[in-house]
Amino acid sequence: MTILVTGSTGHTGRQTVRLLAARGADVRALIRSPVRAGFPEGVVAVQGELADIDGMRAALAGVSTLFLLAPNTGDELHLTLTALNLAREAGVRGIVYLSVYQCDLHPEVPHFACKLIAERMIRKLDLPATILRPAFFMQNDLRQKPMLDHGLYGHPVGHRGMACVDTRDIAELAASELLRREANPEPLPLACHDVVGPHNLTAESITAAWSAALGRTIAYGGDDLDAFEARMARHVPAGFAYDLRLMFLGFQEQGSPASAADVAALTRLLGRAPRTYADFVRDAVRGWEGGR
């Protein structure tokens, strides 16, 4: 039987594909341009995208387990619900769905609300799924390099404390859950896991980590959400820039901290402590210095 991975070229998806291939799984990766896939040997790159109904039907043919990672776009909800319906019609007996941490506490954030509705669909239809709820990706901060080069950290995270997680830990748990469901001949019941790092981060702790790793002072760019939205709108659609503004507003006003119980539960699932933000920062700096 076969595992289909969507979102296969992002940080989480690509690492999930790699881990599955390393453990001998039969992996099919959905990608817009298979020619540029660069996947491990044995992984089948299938051309398609979530918006292509016929392409998704073809990609799901013969698939027993699905990793569903939908892009944060204006049509995310439609894409997600359609993919879940198509998987159900195709007889997929195991799904791992990438949601978001505490989406129920921030329904005003559009991409959080999309995931909350998808979770409700999974529960209402009793789909055989694992819901992974990762916190803010540490790897999102790789995009900060141009600002870091000028001594600034630009994400307006605020000072209340927010959970963050390394995408390598998300991928490790995703691969384990996919293989667990793939190995079972019958559909397994619903599972839901929060995926967080070991520390709650603030502007102060984040800039301290970058300052230590880079050997120079990194200052916080501030809480100005108008400036952040305008800066983001130069690189992403305006609607998504506003979506991110609302997310960071929630972080500033309420925080998004992980509990000790969340961290302990993930530690048990991984069999080790989750990676720290300092670990991520050191690895990022080593990669930049090595030209990666």
Side-chain angles (χ1 to χ4, degrees):
M1 302 298 281
T2 301
I3 299 173
L4 176 66
V5 177
T6 69
S8 60
T9 58
H11 287 294
T12 303
R14 187 172 289 279
Q15 291 171 87
T16 301
V17 167
R18 179 179 57 80
L19 290 170
L20 290 171
R23 292 175 66 174
D26 182 4
V27 184
R28 191 180 296 175
L30 190 71
I31 183 173
R32 289 181 180 177
S33 179
V35 174
R36 300 198 302 271
F39 293 128
E41 185 177 354
V43 173
V44 178
V46 179
Q47 186 167 15
E49 53 186 315
L50 294 181
D52 177 4
I53 301 297
D54 290 338
M56 280 297 295
R57 284 192 170 118
L60 285 164
V63 164
S64 48
T65 311
L66 169 67
F67 181 52
L68 180 54
L69 192 168
N72 293 331
T73 56
D75 58 350
E76 176 184 353
L77 180 58
H78 184 274
L79 295 177
T80 302
L81 301 189
T82 299
L84 289 170
N85 277 309
L86 290 172
R88 188 180 181 210
E89 291 172 6
V92 171
R93 56 179 170 78
I95 299 168
V96 175
Y97 171 59
L98 201 71
S99 182
V100 70
Y101 186 61
Q102 296 182 341
C103 57
D104 51 331
L105 300 183
H106 299 277
E108 74 283 1
V109 180
H111 75 276
F112 281 39
C114 288
K115 292 172 172 62
L116 182 59
I117 294 170
E119 287 190 15
R120 287 178 178 171
M121 175 182 172
I122 288 169
R123 295 177 190 277
K124 180 69 174 178
L125 297 180
D126 195 26
L127 298 181
T130 296
I131 298 170
L132 299 184
R133 288 178 143 194
F136 187 78
F137 295 177
M138 294 179 187
Q139 276 71 10
N140 288 336
D141 283 351
L142 294 173
R143 302 187 184 99
Q144 291 293 306
K145 187 177 186 303
M147 293 192 72
L148 292 168
D149 288 343
H150 289 87
L152 288 175
Y153 173 83
H155 277 146
V157 297
H159 312 275
R160 292 188 176 274
M162 54 181 279
C164 288
V165 65
D166 194 302
T167 57
R168 292 171 292 185
D169 289 345
I170 304 170
E172 187 172 328
L173 184 54
S176 294
E177 282 296 296
L178 288 163
L179 291 168
R180 181 176 74 90
R181 291 185 175 276
E182 178 74 0
N184 200 296
E186 298 296 327
L188 295 171
L190 176 72
C192 186
H193 303 302
D194 293 323
V195 193
V196 297
H199 306 121
N200 293 313
L201 303 176
T202 63
E204 292 76 18
S205 59
I206 288 173
T207 53
W210 284 111
S211 297
L214 293 169
R216 52 188 170 84
T217 299
I218 299 298
Y220 178 48
D223 294 340
D224 187 340
L225 292 170
D226 289 337
F228 168 75
E229 182 184 352
R231 186 169 68 247
M232 289 302 300
R234 294 196 291 267
H235 305 285
V236 300
F240 187 49
Y242 181 65
D243 189 325
L244 294 175
R245 176 198 179 110
L246 292 173
M247 179 184 72
F248 281 111
L249 176 62
F251 293 162
Q252 289 182 11
E253 292 184 344
Q254 304 170 47
S256 183
S259 68
D262 293 335
V263 178
L266 182 61
T267 298
R268 288 192 295 271
L269 288 167
L270 293 175
R272 56 166 177 80
R275 292 176 173 89
T276 67
Y277 188 77
D279 293 336
F280 154 71
V281 168
R282 285 191 292 267
D283 288 346
V285 172
R286 280 195 292 267
W288 292 337
E289 290 174 346
R292 298 198 302 273

Short mmCIF file of all heavy atoms in Angstrom, two decimals, residues 1-2 56-57 59-66 83-95 127-128 181-182 184-188:
data_model
loop_
_atom_site.label_atom_id
_atom_site.label_comp_id
_atom_site.label_asym_id
_atom_site.label_seq_id
_atom_site.Cartn_x
_atom_site.Cartn_y
_atom_site.Cartn_z
N MET A 1 0.84 -1.19 0.00
CA MET A 1 0.00 0.00 0.00
C MET A 1 0.88 1.25 0.00
O MET A 1 2.09 1.17 0.24
CB MET A 1 -0.93 0.00 1.21
CG MET A 1 -1.84 -1.22 1.27
SD MET A 1 -2.95 -1.35 -0.15
CE MET A 1 -4.20 -0.16 0.31
N THR A 2 0.26 2.40 -0.20
CA THR A 2 1.01 3.62 -0.49
C THR A 2 0.59 4.77 0.42
O THR A 2 -0.58 4.92 0.75
CB THR A 2 0.79 4.03 -1.95
OG1 THR A 2 1.20 2.96 -2.81
CG2 THR A 2 1.57 5.29 -2.30
N MET A 56 -6.14 14.96 -8.11
CA MET A 56 -6.19 14.39 -6.77
C MET A 56 -6.79 12.99 -6.79
O MET A 56 -6.32 12.09 -6.08
CB MET A 56 -6.99 15.30 -5.84
CG MET A 56 -6.22 16.50 -5.32
SD MET A 56 -4.81 16.00 -4.28
CE MET A 56 -5.65 15.22 -2.90
N ARG A 57 -7.82 12.80 -7.60
CA ARG A 57 -8.41 11.46 -7.69
C ARG A 57 -7.37 10.46 -8.19
O ARG A 57 -7.26 9.33 -7.69
CB ARG A 57 -9.62 11.48 -8.61
CG ARG A 57 -10.86 12.10 -7.98
CD ARG A 57 -12.10 11.84 -8.82
NE ARG A 57 -13.32 12.22 -8.11
CZ ARG A 57 -14.16 13.17 -8.51
NH1 ARG A 57 -13.93 13.83 -9.64
NH2 ARG A 57 -15.24 13.44 -7.81
N ALA A 59 -4.07 10.80 -7.97
CA ALA A 59 -3.00 10.66 -6.97
C ALA A 59 -3.43 9.77 -5.82
O ALA A 59 -2.61 9.06 -5.22
CB ALA A 59 -2.61 12.04 -6.45
N LEU A 60 -4.72 9.78 -5.48
CA LEU A 60 -5.23 8.99 -4.35
C LEU A 60 -5.53 7.54 -4.73
O LEU A 60 -5.77 6.72 -3.83
CB LEU A 60 -6.50 9.64 -3.79
CG LEU A 60 -6.30 10.90 -2.95
CD1 LEU A 60 -7.60 11.66 -2.79
CD2 LEU A 60 -5.71 10.53 -1.59
N ALA A 61 -5.51 7.22 -5.99
CA ALA A 61 -5.81 5.85 -6.41
C ALA A 61 -4.79 4.88 -5.81
O ALA A 61 -3.59 5.02 -6.02
CB ALA A 61 -5.80 5.75 -7.93
N GLY A 62 -5.27 3.91 -5.07
CA GLY A 62 -4.39 2.92 -4.46
C GLY A 62 -3.70 3.39 -3.20
O GLY A 62 -2.87 2.66 -2.65
N VAL A 63 -4.02 4.57 -2.73
CA VAL A 63 -3.38 5.12 -1.52
C VAL A 63 -4.13 4.63 -0.28
O VAL A 63 -5.36 4.64 -0.23
CB VAL A 63 -3.37 6.66 -1.57
CG1 VAL A 63 -3.08 7.26 -0.20
CG2 VAL A 63 -2.35 7.14 -2.58
N SER A 64 -3.37 4.19 0.71
CA SER A 64 -3.97 3.72 1.96
C SER A 64 -3.89 4.77 3.07
O SER A 64 -4.74 4.79 3.97
CB SER A 64 -3.28 2.43 2.42
OG SER A 64 -1.87 2.59 2.37
N THR A 65 -2.88 5.65 3.01
CA THR A 65 -2.66 6.63 4.08
C THR A 65 -2.28 7.96 3.45
O THR A 65 -1.50 8.02 2.50
CB THR A 65 -1.55 6.16 5.04
OG1 THR A 65 -1.80 4.80 5.42
CG2 THR A 65 -1.51 7.01 6.29
N LEU A 66 -2.82 9.04 4.02
CA LEU A 66 -2.64 10.38 3.46
C LEU A 66 -2.09 11.33 4.50
O LEU A 66 -2.59 11.39 5.63
CB LEU A 66 -4.00 10.92 2.97
CG LEU A 66 -4.07 12.41 2.59
CD1 LEU A 66 -3.24 12.71 1.35
CD2 LEU A 66 -5.52 12.84 2.40
N ALA A 83 -10.17 17.75 -0.19
CA ALA A 83 -9.19 16.66 -0.08
C ALA A 83 -9.67 15.59 0.89
O ALA A 83 -9.51 14.39 0.64
CB ALA A 83 -7.84 17.21 0.36
N LEU A 84 -10.27 16.00 2.01
CA LEU A 84 -10.79 15.02 2.96
C LEU A 84 -11.92 14.21 2.34
O LEU A 84 -11.99 12.98 2.53
CB LEU A 84 -11.27 15.73 4.23
CG LEU A 84 -10.17 16.31 5.13
CD1 LEU A 84 -10.78 17.18 6.22
CD2 LEU A 84 -9.33 15.19 5.75
N ASN A 85 -12.80 14.87 1.60
CA ASN A 85 -13.89 14.15 0.93
C ASN A 85 -13.35 13.18 -0.11
O ASN A 85 -13.82 12.03 -0.23
CB ASN A 85 -14.86 15.14 0.29
CG ASN A 85 -15.88 15.68 1.27
OD1 ASN A 85 -16.53 14.91 1.98
ND2 ASN A 85 -16.00 16.99 1.34
N LEU A 86 -12.37 13.63 -0.91
CA LEU A 86 -11.81 12.76 -1.93
C LEU A 86 -11.11 11.55 -1.30
O LEU A 86 -11.18 10.42 -1.83
CB LEU A 86 -10.83 13.55 -2.81
CG LEU A 86 -11.47 14.59 -3.73
CD1 LEU A 86 -10.38 15.44 -4.39
CD2 LEU A 86 -12.35 13.95 -4.79
N ALA A 87 -10.42 11.78 -0.20
CA ALA A 87 -9.76 10.67 0.49
C ALA A 87 -10.78 9.66 1.00
O ALA A 87 -10.58 8.45 0.90
CB ALA A 87 -8.91 11.21 1.65
N ARG A 88 -11.86 10.18 1.53
CA ARG A 88 -12.94 9.31 2.01
C ARG A 88 -13.52 8.49 0.87
O ARG A 88 -13.73 7.28 0.99
CB ARG A 88 -14.01 10.19 2.66
CG ARG A 88 -15.11 9.46 3.39
CD ARG A 88 -16.06 10.50 3.95
NE ARG A 88 -17.15 9.90 4.70
CZ ARG A 88 -18.35 10.42 4.80
NH1 ARG A 88 -18.63 11.56 4.18
NH2 ARG A 88 -19.29 9.82 5.51
N GLU A 89 -13.78 9.14 -0.27
CA GLU A 89 -14.33 8.43 -1.44
C GLU A 89 -13.36 7.38 -1.97
O GLU A 89 -13.77 6.34 -2.47
CB GLU A 89 -14.65 9.43 -2.54
CG GLU A 89 -15.81 10.35 -2.23
CD GLU A 89 -15.97 11.45 -3.27
OE1 GLU A 89 -15.24 11.41 -4.29
OE2 GLU A 89 -16.83 12.34 -3.08
N ALA A 90 -12.04 7.67 -1.86
CA ALA A 90 -11.03 6.75 -2.38
C ALA A 90 -10.77 5.57 -1.45
O ALA A 90 -10.00 4.67 -1.80
CB ALA A 90 -9.73 7.51 -2.63
N GLY A 91 -11.38 5.58 -0.28
CA GLY A 91 -11.19 4.48 0.66
C GLY A 91 -9.90 4.56 1.45
O GLY A 91 -9.43 3.54 1.98
N VAL A 92 -9.31 5.74 1.56
CA VAL A 92 -8.10 5.92 2.37
C VAL A 92 -8.44 5.57 3.83
O VAL A 92 -9.43 6.06 4.38
CB VAL A 92 -7.59 7.37 2.27
CG1 VAL A 92 -6.48 7.63 3.27
CG2 VAL A 92 -7.12 7.65 0.85
N ARG A 93 -7.63 4.71 4.44
CA ARG A 93 -7.97 4.23 5.78
C ARG A 93 -7.16 4.87 6.88
O ARG A 93 -7.29 4.50 8.06
CB ARG A 93 -7.84 2.72 5.84
CG ARG A 93 -6.48 2.17 5.46
CD ARG A 93 -6.48 0.65 5.59
NE ARG A 93 -5.30 0.03 5.03
CZ ARG A 93 -4.12 0.00 5.62
NH1 ARG A 93 -3.95 0.55 6.80
NH2 ARG A 93 -3.09 -0.60 5.03
N GLY A 94 -6.32 5.83 6.53
CA GLY A 94 -5.56 6.55 7.55
C GLY A 94 -5.18 7.94 7.05
O GLY A 94 -4.73 8.09 5.91
N ILE A 95 -5.41 8.96 7.88
CA ILE A 95 -5.10 10.34 7.52
C ILE A 95 -4.32 10.97 8.66
O ILE A 95 -4.65 10.77 9.83
CB ILE A 95 -6.39 11.16 7.28
CG1 ILE A 95 -7.22 10.58 6.13
CG2 ILE A 95 -6.07 12.63 7.03
CD1 ILE A 95 -8.62 11.15 6.04
N LEU A 127 -13.63 10.33 10.77
CA LEU A 127 -12.59 9.91 9.85
C LEU A 127 -11.42 9.30 10.63
O LEU A 127 -11.10 9.74 11.74
CB LEU A 127 -12.09 11.10 9.02
CG LEU A 127 -13.14 11.77 8.11
CD1 LEU A 127 -12.49 12.91 7.34
CD2 LEU A 127 -13.76 10.76 7.17
N PRO A 128 -10.77 8.29 10.07
CA PRO A 128 -9.65 7.62 10.76
C PRO A 128 -8.39 8.47 10.67
O PRO A 128 -7.52 8.25 9.83
CB PRO A 128 -9.51 6.30 10.00
CG PRO A 128 -9.97 6.65 8.60
CD PRO A 128 -11.06 7.66 8.77
N ARG A 181 -0.47 4.10 11.21
CA ARG A 181 -1.75 3.86 10.54
C ARG A 181 -1.58 2.95 9.33
O ARG A 181 -2.43 2.11 9.04
CB ARG A 181 -2.40 5.19 10.16
CG ARG A 181 -2.87 5.96 11.39
CD ARG A 181 -3.62 7.23 11.06
NE ARG A 181 -4.13 7.84 12.29
CZ ARG A 181 -5.27 7.51 12.90
NH1 ARG A 181 -6.04 6.58 12.36
NH2 ARG A 181 -5.65 8.10 14.02
N GLU A 182 -0.48 3.12 8.62
CA GLU A 182 -0.23 2.29 7.43
C GLU A 182 -0.05 0.82 7.81
O GLU A 182 -0.48 -0.08 7.07
CB GLU A 182 1.03 2.80 6.72
CG GLU A 182 1.46 2.02 5.50
CD GLU A 182 0.57 2.26 4.29
OE1 GLU A 182 -0.40 3.04 4.40
OE2 GLU A 182 0.82 1.64 3.25
N ASN A 184 -1.40 -0.81 10.26
CA ASN A 184 -2.59 -1.46 10.81
C ASN A 184 -3.57 -1.78 9.69
O ASN A 184 -3.93 -0.91 8.91
CB ASN A 184 -3.25 -0.54 11.83
CG ASN A 184 -4.16 -1.31 12.77
OD1 ASN A 184 -5.16 -1.88 12.35
ND2 ASN A 184 -3.80 -1.34 14.04
N PRO A 185 -4.01 -3.02 9.60
CA PRO A 185 -4.91 -3.39 8.49
C PRO A 185 -6.30 -2.78 8.61
O PRO A 185 -7.03 -2.72 7.61
CB PRO A 185 -4.97 -4.92 8.58
CG PRO A 185 -4.63 -5.23 10.00
CD PRO A 185 -3.65 -4.18 10.42
N GLU A 186 -6.66 -2.30 9.79
CA GLU A 186 -7.96 -1.67 9.99
C GLU A 186 -7.78 -0.19 10.35
O GLU A 186 -6.76 0.19 10.93
CB GLU A 186 -8.73 -2.38 11.12
CG GLU A 186 -9.03 -3.84 10.83
CD GLU A 186 -9.94 -4.01 9.63
OE1 GLU A 186 -10.81 -3.13 9.41
OE2 GLU A 186 -9.80 -5.02 8.92
N PRO A 187 -8.76 0.65 10.01
CA PRO A 187 -8.66 2.06 10.39
C PRO A 187 -8.56 2.22 11.90
O PRO A 187 -9.26 1.54 12.66
CB PRO A 187 -9.98 2.65 9.86
CG PRO A 187 -10.42 1.71 8.79
CD PRO A 187 -9.97 0.35 9.23
N LEU A 188 -7.69 3.10 12.33
CA LEU A 188 -7.49 3.37 13.76
C LEU A 188 -8.33 4.57 14.18
O LEU A 188 -8.65 5.44 13.36
CB LEU A 188 -6.02 3.64 14.04
CG LEU A 188 -5.07 2.46 13.79
CD1 LEU A 188 -3.62 2.91 13.89
CD2 LEU A 188 -5.36 1.33 14.77
#
